[in-house]
Amino acid sequence: MYKPKGPDYQDVEGLKIPKAFSPECLRDSLRYKPKADDVFIVTFPKCGTTWTQHIVINILKRGLPPESFEEFQKLSPFMELTGPGVVETMPRPGAIKTHLPFDLQPYSLQAKYIYITRNPFDCCVSLFHHSRTLPIYQYSDGAFEDFFEIFINGQTEFGDYFDHLLSWYEHRKDPNVLFLVYEKMKADTRTDVLNIAKFLDQEYEDMLVKDVQMMENILLQTSVEYMKKSTNKHFGSFFGSVHSDEDIDNKNIPEGLKHILNYMKTINFKPQSELNFVRKGIVGDWKNHFTPEQTERLRRKCIQKFEGTKIPEFWPDIFK
Ligand code: A3P
């Protein structure tokens, strides 16, 4: 029987995560108790997480972008990867990244949650390229036809795209949830930057309305062109290189990141100074990847999964 080859994952607590991640960090993260001033940025992978993190950091830093990967990850740690210890010591205000479905997400009515979604066609393509690009997945020769099967059957990291989205969609109107759509944010970034600022604190929205230049700087510094240059270099220096034992020991980084760097020493890959983490950042790249048959199958799956919701209205071009 045909068995599609997927990226290197492991199952921990019923959830698929990259094999390179520390299982302990995930387990500890699931037990994290949110604090009243916690802000979470939650997504299914490849739906605009890094973009939203940069917008939030630029707002919190009053118009300045993160200076390095280290600063970025301090201000917006990926909890399942780093473990929750980092969240305890995160400079505040900051924003915690997670990829958890609602039922696994550490939740408190006092904490805030920014959830961003993206159409499943582009999400599938983006996750395919992500898995091929990052050495930890051992998938540089991965084929789209295989990855498509993994995606449509809900066997990717962090579970099933549809269940993830539906779990948060139910909470889209909760007062402590800001629910965003990648395509809408792309079409009118200014409006969503203001929405995010207001959600963080009215003071931030007032600041951006008053300081026109700061708003323009944030739009520039969170544009895909700008982020391609800065973020890809930051990620490359970290996830694209082999780090020596001494270097890893000396690095002032969380255990979860050290776990990944140690894992990378056990696999074969060609070091790269830049990683295409910010790739195209466009809407509709799926048309360059999907066959008519795959398009039809995913469309049918969407119709079945989204029945009774207004989700198809997020993507009128796909669900005409
Ligand atoms: P593509 O692979 O389609 O280009 P995540 O951060 O959740 O991993 O999502 C990654 C996707 O968001 C990638 O999509 C990436 O290019 C896109 N992205 C990153 N920065 C962006 C930006 N400033 N504007 C628009 N899209 C961006």
Side-chain angles (χ1 to χ4, degrees):
M1 208 179 82
Y2 163 60
K3 193 166 178 291
K5 180 180 179 293
D8 269 355
Y9 298 143
Q10 61 182 327
D11 278 298
V12 182
E13 307 265 331
L15 191 68
K16 280 196 169 46
I17 56 171
K19 204 168 172 186
F21 282 27
S22 149
E24 277 317 302
C25 287
L26 174 72
R27 287 197 190 100
D28 293 347
S29 298
L30 297 179
R31 288 195 288 267
Y32 174 73
K33 296 269 171 286
K35 301 183 194 335
D37 65 342
D38 275 351
V39 176
F40 291 89
I41 296 171
V42 189
T43 57
F44 185 82
K46 311 321 283 179
C47 289
T49 333
T50 320
W51 185 19
T52 310
Q53 286 174 286
H54 277 77
I55 292 175
V56 169
I57 292 177
N58 270 265
I59 295 170
L60 297 178
K61 286 188 70 182
R62 297 173 191 273
L64 293 175
E67 279 167 18
S68 60
F69 178 78
E70 279 74 12
E71 191 197 18
F72 170 73
Q73 99 81 33
K74 255 195 198 125
L75 285 172
S76 189
F78 178 7
M79 188 163 71
E80 301 90 296
L81 187 160
T82 59
V86 185
V87 173
E88 304 286 352
T89 56
M90 177 180 80
R92 288 169 186 261
I96 307 151
K97 160 181 165 180
T98 80
H99 279 323
L100 298 171
F102 187 83
D103 31 316
L104 291 180
Q105 171 68 44
Y107 190 76
S108 153
L109 281 172
Q110 277 73 47
K112 294 182 184 178
Y113 299 84
I114 301 176
Y115 185 82
I116 177 153
T117 187
R118 184 183 195 186
N119 81 71
F121 292 78
D122 282 332
C123 174
C124 173
V125 166
S126 185
L127 191 51
F128 166 66
H129 285 291
H130 172 87
S131 314
R132 278 176 45 122
T133 302
L134 260 69
I136 56 165
Y137 293 103
Q138 297 281 284
Y139 201 58
S140 57
D141 58 350
F144 185 70
E145 57 179 312
D146 278 3
F147 190 79
F148 174 80
E149 298 300 330
I150 302 281
F151 184 87
I152 198 168
N153 290 313
Q155 291 165 347
T156 61
E157 55 186 291
F158 298 97
D160 181 88
Y161 163 94
F162 294 95
D163 294 342
H164 201 288
L165 167 53
L166 287 165
S167 76
W168 280 93
Y169 176 79
E170 271 185 44
H171 293 273
R172 70 197 180 284
K173 292 186 179 158
D174 291 3
N176 62 336
V177 173
L178 178 67
F179 189 95
L180 300 169
V181 177
Y182 178 97
E183 292 76 4
K184 198 167 150 279
M185 186 148 103
K186 184 90 190 150
D188 183 0
T189 311
R190 189 181 296 270
T191 296
D192 273 339
V193 169
L194 286 173
N195 285 336
I196 292 171
K198 187 183 172 76
F199 182 71
L200 291 170
D201 197 299
Q202 183 59 50
E203 177 215 346
Y204 292 119
E205 190 194 23
D206 296 344
M207 168 184 88
L208 294 185
V209 170
K210 212 155 79 200
D211 192 334
V212 178
Q213 188 55 51
M214 189 191 289
M215 180 71 185
E216 291 309 316
N217 290 348
I218 291 181
L219 289 173
L220 174 77
Q221 288 151 197
T222 59
S223 67
V224 72
E225 297 76 23
Y226 187 99
M227 282 181 51
K228 262 184 201 166
K229 286 192 210 117
S230 56
T231 311
N232 288 350
K233 215 174 281 158
H234 292 166
F235 276 76
S237 67
F238 202 85
F239 291 110
S241 353
V242 182
H243 302 255
S244 68
D245 288 345
E246 202 189 0
D247 187 23
I248 297 174
D249 283 346
N250 288 341
K251 269 192 197 305
N252 184 16
I253 53 169
E255 282 311 309
L257 282 171
K258 287 189 178 174
H259 185 94
I260 292 195
L261 296 186
N262 280 319
Y263 178 87
M264 286 177 60
K265 285 191 302 183
T266 68
I267 58 174
N268 261 334
F269 69 97
K270 209 165 109 237
Q272 285 163 272
S273 60
E274 283 198 21
L275 282 182
N276 231 358
F277 199 85
V278 180
R279 198 179 58 94
K280 289 191 178 173
I282 59 169
V283 177
D285 193 34
W286 66 271
K287 291 176 190 156
N288 299 318
H289 294 74
F290 277 64
T291 63
E293 196 233 332
Q294 288 167 337
T295 307
E296 192 42 40
R297 281 179 60 202
L298 192 55
R299 212 190 292 263
R300 269 205 311 268
K301 172 114 189 183
C302 290
I303 289 167
Q304 177 219 333
K305 285 287 201 172
F306 296 155
E307 198 191 341
T309 74
K310 290 189 173 7
I311 295 173
E313 291 173 20
F314 298 156
W315 306 300
D317 290 351
I318 298 176
F319 301 105
K320 281 187 260 279

